[in-house]
Coordinates of all heavy atoms in Angstrom, one line a residue:
Q22 N 23.5 177.1 38.1 CA 22.3 177.2 38.9 C 21.4 178.3 38.4 O 20.2 178.2 38.5 CB 22.6 177.3 40.4 CG 23.3 176.2 41.0 CD 22.4 175.1 41.5 OE1 21.4 174.8 40.9 NE2 22.8 174.5 42.6
A23 N 22.0 179.4 37.9 CA 21.2 180.5 37.5 C 20.4 180.2 36.3 O 19.4 180.9 36.0 CB 22.2 181.7 37.1
K24 N 20.7 179.1 35.6 CA 19.9 178.7 34.4 C 18.7 177.8 34.8 O 17.9 177.5 34.0 CB 20.8 178.0 33.4 CG 21.9 178.8 32.9 CD 22.8 178.0 32.0 CE 23.9 178.8 31.4 NZ 24.8 178.0 30.5
R25 N 18.6 177.5 36.1 CA 17.5 176.6 36.6 C 16.9 177.1 37.9 O 16.7 176.4 38.8 CB 18.0 175.2 36.7 CG 19.2 175.1 37.6 CD 19.7 173.6 37.7 NE 18.8 172.7 38.4 CZ 18.6 172.6 39.7 NH1 19.4 173.3 40.5 NH2 17.7 171.8 40.2
L26 N 16.6 178.4 37.9 CA 16.1 179.1 39.1 C 14.8 178.5 39.6 O 14.5 178.5 40.8 CB 16.0 180.6 38.9 CG 17.3 181.4 38.7 CD1 17.0 182.8 38.4 CD2 18.2 181.2 39.9
D27 N 14.0 178.0 38.6 CA 12.7 177.5 39.0 C 12.8 176.1 39.7 O 11.8 175.7 40.3 CB 11.8 177.3 37.7 CG 12.4 176.5 36.7 OD1 13.7 176.5 36.6 OD2 11.7 175.9 35.9
H28 N 14.0 175.5 39.8 CA 14.2 174.3 40.5 C 14.9 174.5 41.8 O 15.1 173.5 42.5 CB 15.0 173.3 39.6 CG 14.3 172.9 38.3 ND1 13.1 172.1 38.3 CD2 14.5 173.2 37.0 CE1 12.8 172.0 37.0 NE2 13.6 172.6 36.3
L29 N 15.3 175.7 42.1 CA 16.0 175.9 43.4 C 15.1 175.9 44.6 O 14.0 176.4 44.6 CB 16.7 177.3 43.3 CG 18.0 177.4 42.5 CD1 18.6 178.8 42.5 CD2 19.1 176.4 43.0
T30 N 15.7 175.4 45.7 CA 15.0 175.6 47.0 C 15.5 176.8 47.7 O 16.7 177.0 47.8 CB 15.4 174.3 47.9 OG1 14.9 173.2 47.2 CG2 14.7 174.5 49.3
V31 N 14.6 177.7 48.1 CA 14.9 179.0 48.7 C 14.4 179.0 50.1 O 13.2 178.6 50.4 CB 14.3 180.1 47.9 CG1 14.7 181.5 48.6 CG2 14.8 180.1 46.5
T32 N 15.3 179.3 51.1 CA 14.9 179.3 52.5 C 15.1 180.7 53.1 O 16.1 181.3 52.8 CB 15.7 178.3 53.3 OG1 15.5 177.0 52.7 CG2 15.2 178.3 54.8
A33 N 14.1 181.2 53.9 CA 14.3 182.5 54.5 C 15.0 182.3 55.8 O 14.5 181.6 56.7 CB 12.9 183.1 54.7
K34 N 16.2 182.9 56.0 CA 16.9 182.9 57.3 C 16.2 183.8 58.3 O 16.2 183.5 59.5 CB 18.4 183.2 57.1 CG 19.1 182.2 56.2 CD 20.6 182.5 56.2 CE 20.9 183.7 55.3 NZ 22.4 183.9 55.2
Q35 N 15.8 185.0 57.8 CA 15.1 185.9 58.6 C 14.4 186.8 57.5 O 14.5 186.6 56.3 CB 16.0 186.8 59.5 CG 17.1 187.4 58.8 CD 18.0 188.2 59.7 OE1 17.6 189.1 60.4 NE2 19.3 187.9 59.8

Side-chain angles (χ1 to χ4, degrees):
Q22 297 274 34
K24 298 177 181 178
R25 52 182 298 275
L26 293 176
D27 54 333
H28 297 290
L29 281 181
T30 300
V31 180
T32 304
K34 294 188 286 186
Q35 55 181 301

